Structures are given as structure tokens and as C-alpha cells.
Amino acid sequence: MSNISIIKLPVRGLSCSSCALSAEKALKSQPGVINASVNYADNSAYIEYRENAQTLNNLKQAVKNAGFDLIIDKKDASQQETDALHEKDIKKTERNLILSVLFSIPIILISMVFTEIPNKNFIIWILSTPVLALFGQQFFINAWKQTRVRSANMDSLVALSTGIAYSYSVFNTLYPQFWNIRGLEAHVYFEAAAVIITFILLGRYLEEKAKSNTSSAIKKLMGLQPNTVTLITSEGETKTVNIEQIKQDDLLIVKPGEKIPVDAVVSSGHSFVDESMISGEPIPVEKTTGDQVLTGTVNQKGILRISAQKVGKGTVLAQIIEMVQKAQASKAPVQKLVDKVAGIFVPTVMAIAIISFLLWYLLGGENAFTQALLAMITVLVIACPCALGLATPTAIMVGIGKGAENGILIKDAESLEEAKNIDTVLLDKTGTITQGKPVVTVQHWTSNNTSKYKEILHAIEIQSEHPLADSICSALEKSKNKEIKISNFTSLPGRGASALVNNNIYFVGNKKLIEENNISLTTEQLTQTEALYAKANTVIFFANKTNVIALIGVSDKIKTSSGQAIAQLQKAGIDIYMLTGDNKQTAEFVAKHTGISKYEANMLPADKAALVQKLQKEGKTVAMVGDGINDSQALALADVSIAMGKGTDIAMDVAKITITSSDLMQIPKAILLSKQTVATIKQNLFWAFIYNIIAIPIAAGILYPITGFLLNPMIAGAAMAMSSVSVVTNSLLLKKKKLS
């Protein structure tokens, strides 16, 4: 069986979405590669491959053959390394931009203001050459790489347009008589070539700066883990070491105000820890010996000694970061259409440019060749596949990042897009609507010797594995007596347990257990039992062989925010169902107190799954919200599956969205986030498509027969640069929108 690896690696040399597609196709074509996704928005590749069938060097070579570079110096490159490479590229672009501006300004002044100076064409030729050959060389190098693999991208358009303008101008500078003897003026367009390069460098610089902000959520999450930590050595001394040196079971000291560096267990000390960055809960949690602490949470009061349990990529924080990164790299369904358009965009633009040239050359009259050349250059310059390529991934990155900052972890772009369509929400009761922590609410004791029987009940329940036994033991903690000797403890599945104490038999369990052993309830006890059932209590009966000694009411309290969240969902026109394996009385009580009219009790896992399928057949878009293993089947079948973060790992693995705080109020926020993100994607795509649909015909000269208007190639370069920046900026505005 081959090992399957999933890695994230930086990709360099991407200049537009068609570049990302080319690199992606190159990776997917390699043997052993199961799937690959190249994200132009953050210049990274997610690759799933079989290690024994493929090597990273081969993958690097495949990407290189496509004209790009895959960075494999460190397997599964960290976000910091990716950011460092990105920052390096931004600085290089910034340097080239500044130099290009410094050379372009005198070119413009000489071309448009000081037009009578001697040898004007030779001067601007000298000034424009470094702009193209040095500061804009990346466009020509990348275009040549694409030509070698019989492909074309954004750089191809830039290189063609500026290269043709520059070459034509050089010819006219050296051989002006070629046109003069034909009665035509030998025009030069050095300033157009230089200014186009300058504007496109400006656009790329602004675009890259804006793109770096789309990953700010990841940077914030990564900033939660400290770089150094105080280690207690085997000799009992303390020393500061790098976080990478920490191993499982190492002892660490965390002082007040410091961040917990790893997932750990408190070995000694007492403090309160702010876990809001992980759980979303604002109230600090008390921590003492034996309690778990998580990476990135903040120690507030006392000094804690902790024993490292999970380090590196095994921590909860690392898993959250990995989930967010994978989600940001995933593609929304709408991206498939964009990819198809991007795949044919550049060749289509080149064809339009050639057609424009031919039409102008044939129909342009006296200056036909010059006008044809300008039209072709303008079409090549103004077309912008970048805006199309950035429209979806930048919005997805910002949306998923915003969700992570709000305790909403979204596994992939498809789930983020689908959540806006939810019209039916199924809520598991225990741990979702309720706190999932049963507590003893009522104790009715009938015996005069209460303290003795409390000790016996505690001794029996401490041996039980039933979930409610812990609640009873906690309530009777002060009655703990190690002198009580238990014998013949017997677990009775579905009913309770029995045991002998001093040769006397005792029963602890439900009403069925009492009835099976012919133990009668008094009239008062029957009344008390019905009253407890009516208030959604599970009733535990404690009896000897003849009488019921105590009635214990155990209740799972409703979360304070559940009612408000349900009302908010209903106000948005969403149908709410509550599902529970509990009895009908409990279900009815919880439903009544949370405003739910549709509920199902005594449900098995298969029943929950069947209801999901039934509603889907009725045309509903169903979201299932749960936290337990018994919810996993329904979660897997739902259109959108949502796990409450304090539930089981299985539920979180199956679910597409995880609410880290277990607060139901986050579900309306998740749906609103989906609507906002999809709206942003639609806005981006609209402007990207409209820009190209309108701009390319205008660049070709479609308005000239009507208005006499011809677009200047320099203006076209500026427009193209700003179109990409506007799309990224619109995506970044998503950060400022409120989720309420």
C-alpha cells in the first residue's frame, strides 16, 4: 500500500489565472498525482500524491517545463516561508516599478512637452530600453517560457504589445525614410511601450500587496503560537528554547500573560486561561492539575507547569490552520466556469488583436498600418485575465479567513458557497441545543438515614460507566466514603445497575428497572416523577429490594443562546427541526422553551439520516448540526454538515463546517458569511467580465466609426492594471462586513 501525502508548496512565476491552470495541468498529468490545485491568489499548490510513485523533484521539473517554479526546498512549506517568498517578489516588483517610473517620466516629458529637442527619438529610445529590457524583463522571460511549451498567458500579451511597439519604433527611428518616401510620417511609440510596462508593474505591485492581505487570518492564527518557551530540564533547571525543540512529555513553565505553546496537561499550578481565540468563549476557564490546555490560549493569573502532549502539527491550533489553508486553496463550483474561460482567454484575445490589425490595415485609409498597429497593441494591453482569475479565489480566501477569525472553520469553498442555500436546519438536542453536560437538579430522599444512603449510592455509581453516573458522583462528592464495600456490581444495559452492600441488594436505574423488580412507588413519588419528566429531567431511581429510597433528577441545561439563534434562523425563513434520542417529554420541553415546533424524539442514528434524505427528496437544502458519533451518519448525508467544536472528533471529521465555540449563534453567522462571500464573488466576476467585454471592443476601435474615438495604449495599460486591483480590493472589503 503506497503512502499518500498532501503537501502545500509555493509556486513562483504565476502572473494570471491561466498560469495557475497551466501549472495545475502539469502537476495533474504526472503519474502518482491524485489531485492538484494551484491557487493564483496565494501562489501556492496543494498536491495529493503517492510517495512511492512520484518524487518532489519530478513534480518540480513538471512545473518548470510549464514555465514556472515549484519551491521544494522544504517539504510542506510553512506559511511563513511562503510569505517570505511572496514578500521578496513584492520588493523586487517595487524596485522595478520605482526605476521604471524614474525613466518613464522624462520619456513622457520629451514626447509630449519638449517635442522640438534634437535627436528626440534617439533619446527616448535610450531611456525606454532599460524599462523593457531590465525593469520589465520578467514579462518577456515568462512569455518566452510559455512560447516554448506552446502556451500563452498574461505576460505573453504584455510582451507582444510592448515588444511590437518598441520594435516598430526602433525601425522608424533608424529608417524614417521608409515611410517618408511614401508620404507618411514615421511615428514612434517608445513612450507607449515604457508607460504600459510602468502601469502594469504598478498594477501588479498593488495587486500583490492586496493579495498578501487576503491571508491575514492565517497570519493571525499562526501568531498565536509563541516562538520560544521555558523548558524545565531533567536537572530541574529552566531554560528558554525554540518551540521546534519541544517533544512530547517535556515539562514547561507558562507564566501569567504568556501563551500556551503546545497542547498539554497541567502537571501543577492553578490559573485561569483565556481560550476565546480557540473556543470563542469570552470567560476565562479555570485550570488546575490534570486539566487540558491548548496552544495559543493565554495564561492569565498563576504560574502553570504543563506536560506537553501534542506538539508541532499535532496541536489543535495547527489542525485549525491546516484546515483553513486547505479550504482557502479549494475551488468553488463557480470557479470551474472561470477556469474554462481563463483557459481560452489569452488565445482569444490574440485572435481579436490580429483581426483588429487586419481590419484596420484593410479599411484604415491613409494611416492604415499605424492605426492597425496601435489597435492591435491596445487590444493586447487592455485584456485582463488576471481580474477573472482573482475574482473567486481572493473572495474565498477572505471569506474562509474571516470565518476562522469568528470561530467558524469551513473545510472547503464548495461548503462556503452551498451554505447560502440552506432552507432547513436539523439540530441534534444534546450538546447542540443543550450544554451536553447533565447535572443533578433535584434530589428527593425518603429515608431518615439520608447520609448513609448517599454514601452507598456514591459508592455504586463510581463503578458505573453510564454517562449520568458522573453527574450523580459529582453531586454526592461530599458523601464519598472509601469504607463502603461494594460486591456483585452488575451493569444492566438499558436499565441501570445493581450491587450488594453488606449483603443487601440495591438498584440504581430507570423506571423499567424498578418495575422489573416489583418495587412500588408511593403516590408522592409518582407525582414527583411526573413533575421531573415534565421539566425535561431524566429520573434515576435508587432503591433497595422493597422501597425506592431516592429520586434523582438529572437535566441537561439549554444553552442561553440557543433560543435566540433559533429565532434568528426562523426569521430568515429557515425551517428548524430538533432531533433527539431522548424521550418525548424531554424533547417537548426543550422544543417549547426554544421556540421549535417540529421535533422528533427517540431517534436512532439511522432515523436521523433517513430524515435528512426524506427532506432532500422534497427539494430542501438541508444542514445537519450535531456533535456526537450518533450524528455522523446524518452529517455525512446533509447538503451542509455542521459540527459543534466541543463534540467528538468523528463528527468534526465528517462535517464541512465546525463551530469552535459550540454556540448556535454562529450558525446564522456562517450562513450570512456564505451569502456575503458569494455576493462578493458575483460582483468580482461581473466587473471582470464586463471590463473585458466592454474594454476589448473599445480597444479594437469599435467606437471610431461612430464617435471618432480611439483608445490610447497607455490609458489601456492603466485600465488593465486597475481592473485586477479593483477585484482584490472588493474582496478585501468583505473583511469589514458585519456578521450580524
Side-chain angles (χ1 to χ4, degrees), residues 209-220 328 394-403 405-406 673 676-677 680 728-740:
K209 288 287 283 185
K211 277 164 62 178
S212 66
N213 290 329
T214 61
S215 60
S216 61
I218 287 289
K219 292 172 187 173
K220 284 181 184 177
Q328 288 183 331
T394 52
I396 291 294
M397 286 183 72
V398 173
I400 285 172
K402 184 177 179 181
E405 289 175 355
N406 285 275
L673 177 63
Q676 290 175 349
T677 305
T680 300
V728 180
T729 303
N730 190 47
S731 293
L732 291 173
L733 290 175
L734 183 58
K735 286 183 178 183
K736 299 185 181 297
K737 293 181 180 178
K738 293 182 179 179
L739 292 177
S740 58

Side-chain angles (χ1 to χ4, degrees), residues 42-288:
D42 71 348
N43 301 320
S44 67
Y46 260 97
I47 310 164
E48 184 179 359
Y49 71 105
R50 293 185 177 87
E51 288 186 5
N52 67 338
Q54 189 55 261
T55 66
L56 290 180
N57 282 321
N58 288 345
L59 296 177
K60 180 182 176 72
Q61 189 59 47
V63 173
K64 193 171 182 179
N65 291 341
F68 313 103
D69 192 16
L70 188 68
I71 308 302
I72 62 168
D73 295 339
K74 290 194 176 181
K75 189 177 178 182
D76 203 10
S78 70
Q79 185 69 33
Q80 290 101 322
E81 289 159 348
T82 304
D83 289 342
L85 286 170
H86 190 215
E87 193 61 35
K88 186 178 177 181
D89 289 339
I90 289 175
K91 285 182 178 177
K92 183 180 177 182
T93 304
E94 182 181 22
R95 184 179 67 251
N96 287 335
L97 171 62
I98 291 169
L99 291 170
S100 186
V101 168
L102 291 175
F103 276 77
S104 295
I105 289 172
I107 292 172
I108 294 169
L109 289 173
I110 293 169
S111 300
M112 299 182 178
V113 181
F114 305 107
T115 57
E116 301 301 323
I117 66 171
N119 300 313
K120 180 187 77 169
N121 288 355
F122 283 95
I123 294 170
I124 58 176
W125 177 12
I126 291 168
L127 288 171
S128 64
T129 300
V131 177
L132 274 74
L134 295 176
F135 319 136
Q137 64 172 269
Q138 67 193 75
F139 302 115
F140 296 92
I141 292 170
N142 292 340
W144 174 243
K145 287 179 180 177
Q146 291 302 298
T147 303
R148 286 172 58 193
V149 294
R150 297 181 182 178
S151 184
N153 63 4
M154 181 68 213
D155 292 326
S156 306
L157 299 180
V158 175
L160 268 175
S161 57
T162 56
I164 290 170
Y166 179 83
S167 301
Y168 178 67
S169 301
V170 169
F171 178 85
N172 286 359
T173 301
L174 295 174
Y175 306 106
Q177 64 274 17
F178 179 85
W179 300 104
N180 294 337
I181 62 175
R182 291 168 173 79
L184 300 172
E185 188 178 346
H187 293 287
V188 295
Y189 297 101
F190 289 119
E191 79 283 358
V195 172
I196 286 167
I197 290 288
T198 302
F199 273 131
I200 292 171
L201 281 171
L202 173 63
R204 189 156 293 181
Y205 172 72
L206 295 174
E207 177 189 312
E208 292 300 321
K209 288 287 283 185
K211 277 164 62 178
S212 66
N213 290 329
T214 61
S215 60
S216 61
I218 287 289
K219 292 172 187 173
K220 284 181 184 177
L221 287 171
M222 298 193 76
L224 293 176
Q225 186 178 48
N227 294 320
T228 58
V229 62
T230 305
L231 174 70
I232 304 173
T233 66
S234 54
E235 293 80 23
E237 298 176 353
T238 60
K239 67 175 183 177
T240 302
V241 298
N242 195 289
I243 187 69
E244 278 82 17
Q245 294 177 243
I246 301 303
K247 302 184 295 293
Q248 190 174 353
D249 297 327
D250 279 351
L251 281 176
L252 313 171
I253 285 181
V254 185
K255 298 172 185 175
E258 291 183 344
K259 293 173 183 174
I260 307 292
V262 294
D263 290 1
V265 171
V266 177
S267 58
S268 65
H270 176 267
S271 184
F272 287 85
V273 174
D274 179 3
E275 295 185 339
S276 59
M277 62 289 300
I278 300 292
S279 68
E281 302 288 351
I283 301 171
V285 181
E286 186 176 7
K287 299 291 180 181
T288 187

Side-chain angles (χ1 to χ4, degrees), residues 605-624:
D607 298 328
K608 295 179 181 179
L611 181 58
V612 170
Q613 291 175 310
K614 175 178 175 289
L615 291 168
Q616 286 172 330
K617 286 177 183 176
E618 293 172 5
K620 304 286 188 182
T621 301
V622 180
M624 174 68 198

Side-chain angles (χ1 to χ4, degrees), residues 335-632:
Q335 183 68 22
K336 293 174 184 176
L337 169 64
V338 179
D339 285 348
K340 286 180 181 177
V341 173
I344 61 170
F345 186 88
V346 174
T348 302
V349 170
M350 287 180 171
I352 294 171
I354 292 168
I355 292 168
S356 300
F357 177 86
L358 292 173
L359 287 173
W360 273 103
Y361 184 69
L362 295 171
L363 306 173
E366 187 178 338
N367 293 313
F369 184 81
T370 301
Q371 297 294 358
L373 192 68
L374 284 175
M376 182 172 69
I377 290 169
T378 309
V379 169
L380 291 171
V381 167
I382 206 164
C384 189
C386 300
L388 283 173
L390 290 167
T392 301
T394 52
I396 291 294
M397 286 183 72
V398 173
I400 285 172
K402 184 177 179 181
E405 289 175 355
N406 285 275
I408 303 165
L409 303 181
I410 302 164
K411 270 190 180 176
D412 55 42
E414 186 174 354
S415 303
L416 179 62
E417 187 175 336
E418 182 65 18
K420 78 179 191 308
N421 299 320
I422 293 170
D423 54 29
T424 306
V425 173
L426 309 186
L427 299 171
D428 172 55
K429 178 182 75 72
T430 307
T432 301
I433 296 175
T434 65
Q435 292 176 354
K437 295 179 180 178
V439 293
V440 172
T441 55
V442 178
Q443 298 180 43
H444 291 301
W445 293 86
T446 57
S447 171
N448 293 327
N449 200 358
T450 302
S451 59
K452 170 193 167 186
Y453 285 119
K454 283 184 177 180
E455 290 173 358
I456 292 171
L457 178 57
H458 184 279
I460 294 171
E461 287 290 66
I462 208 165
Q463 294 194 29
S464 174
E465 294 179 353
H466 194 278
L468 297 182
D470 288 339
S471 305
I472 294 173
C473 288
S474 296
L476 301 178
E477 183 63 27
K478 292 181 181 179
S479 301
K480 188 175 182 179
N481 185 350
K482 293 181 180 178
E483 302 299 318
I484 301 290
K485 301 297 180 185
I486 301 292
S487 60
N488 288 13
F489 177 88
T490 305
S491 178
L492 305 168
R495 290 166 293 167
S498 65
L500 290 176
V501 178
N502 296 328
N503 292 322
N504 292 317
I505 190 167
Y506 292 91
F507 300 96
V508 182
N510 56 24
K511 197 173 183 182
K512 186 186 287 185
L513 178 64
I514 301 302
E515 291 170 348
E516 282 180 357
N517 289 278
N518 298 316
I519 302 168
S520 58
L521 290 162
T522 65
T523 304
E524 184 183 4
Q525 287 174 334
L526 285 169
T527 303
Q528 290 169 340
T529 301
E530 291 305 316
L532 287 171
Y533 282 147
K535 292 183 178 179
N537 282 267
T538 299
V539 182
I540 305 298
F541 298 85
F542 175 46
N544 56 26
K545 64 180 178 181
T546 55
N547 300 306
V548 173
I549 301 167
L551 303 176
I552 311 292
V554 180
S555 177
D556 184 8
K557 292 184 179 178
I558 298 169
K559 293 175 186 174
T560 52
S561 62
S562 291
Q564 185 183 351
I566 288 161
Q568 199 166 324
L569 289 167
Q570 289 171 332
K571 189 177 179 181
I574 295 171
D575 279 343
I576 306 293
Y577 288 75
M578 184 186 76
L579 314 181
T580 179
D582 217 329
N583 61 66
K584 189 176 179 181
Q585 293 101 318
T586 302
E588 187 176 2
F589 178 86
V590 173
K592 182 180 177 182
H593 282 74
T594 52
I596 297 173
S597 58
K598 300 172 183 177
Y599 60 90
E600 299 286 343
N602 300 308
M603 293 200 91
L604 298 171
D607 298 328
K608 295 179 181 179
L611 181 58
V612 170
Q613 291 175 310
K614 175 178 175 289
L615 291 168
Q616 286 172 330
K617 286 177 183 176
E618 293 172 5
K620 304 286 188 182
T621 301
V622 180
M624 174 68 198
V625 186
D627 74 326
I629 293 171
N630 63 333
D631 301 318
S632 58

